[in-house]
Amino acid sequence: MTAPTVFVLSGPNLNRLGTRQPEIYGSDTLADVHEAVGREAERLGLTADCRQTNSEGELIDWLHEAVDAGADVVLNPGAFTHYSYAVRDACAIVTTSGRSLVEVHLSNPAAREEFRHTSVVSGVATGTVAGFGLQSYLLALRALV
Ligand code: DQA
């Protein structure tokens, strides 16, 4: 049997991990995150399809693709978390199709600026993991199995 695929999607500015505000996001690069995710997924009997985009439309297209593929999703929506109803609606398409979607954040947005306290995604996500750096992604994978 082939391992079920999980889409692991990261939104805007996350391609700058490692050098972007390391005091908040840590020193791991996105390549480090994807490598650790790939290893953890394999350990859990999953295949991780890891992608990052700075484009809202592309992220939405990938969420539709996950639905069509019948894949669960781990999503770090970056700043889209706080205002993108279009990303929220696409996440709702995933969860109402019967798939799981775990919202992840490296930092803990609830402990940061006021505008980060709102997530328009959380209300349609299966669950949220925030504040554990790279580990947030790995915990999200574990939550799926
Ligand atoms: C983030 C938190 C968001 O507020 C921020 O805009 C990001 C990253 C996180 O992983 O902690 O880009 O999603």
Side-chain angles (χ1 to χ4, degrees):
M1 213 184 87
T2 52
T5 297
V6 177
F7 281 32
V8 180
L9 307 179
S10 296
N13 300 307
L14 292 164
N15 54 320
R16 308 300 290 191
L17 282 181
T19 54
R20 174 193 180 197
Q21 296 180 278
E23 68 286 3
I24 293 173
Y25 297 114
S27 54
D28 292 315
T29 64
L30 187 65
D32 295 333
V33 172
H34 287 177
E35 197 186 306
V37 162
R39 264 188 275 114
E40 182 70 0
E42 200 180 315
R43 199 181 70 76
L44 294 168
L46 303 168
T47 299
D49 185 338
C50 297
R51 309 179 190 182
Q52 184 276 334
T53 181
N54 293 320
S55 152
E56 188 177 21
E58 189 166 41
L59 186 57
I60 290 165
D61 287 342
W62 289 347
L63 290 163
H64 296 174
E65 194 183 323
V67 172
D68 293 341
D72 290 334
V73 176
V74 171
L75 172 65
N76 184 345
F80 292 146
T81 306
H82 312 301
Y83 68 90
S84 175
Y85 298 122
V87 169
R88 174 196 163 98
D89 284 351
C91 291
I93 294 173
V94 173
T95 50
T96 59
S97 80
R99 305 314 311 185
S100 296
L101 181 144
V102 183
E103 175 188 353
V104 303
H105 300 284
L106 297 147
S107 67
N108 177 5
R112 299 180 60 199
E113 303 98 313
E114 188 90 32
F115 76 90
R116 296 185 204 275
H117 298 182
T118 297
S119 168
V120 300
V121 169
S122 293
V124 296
T126 310
T128 302
V129 183
F132 300 101
L134 181 157
Q135 292 289 329
S136 292
Y137 282 79
L138 309 187
L139 291 166
L141 281 177
R142 275 184 234 166
L144 288 176
V145 296

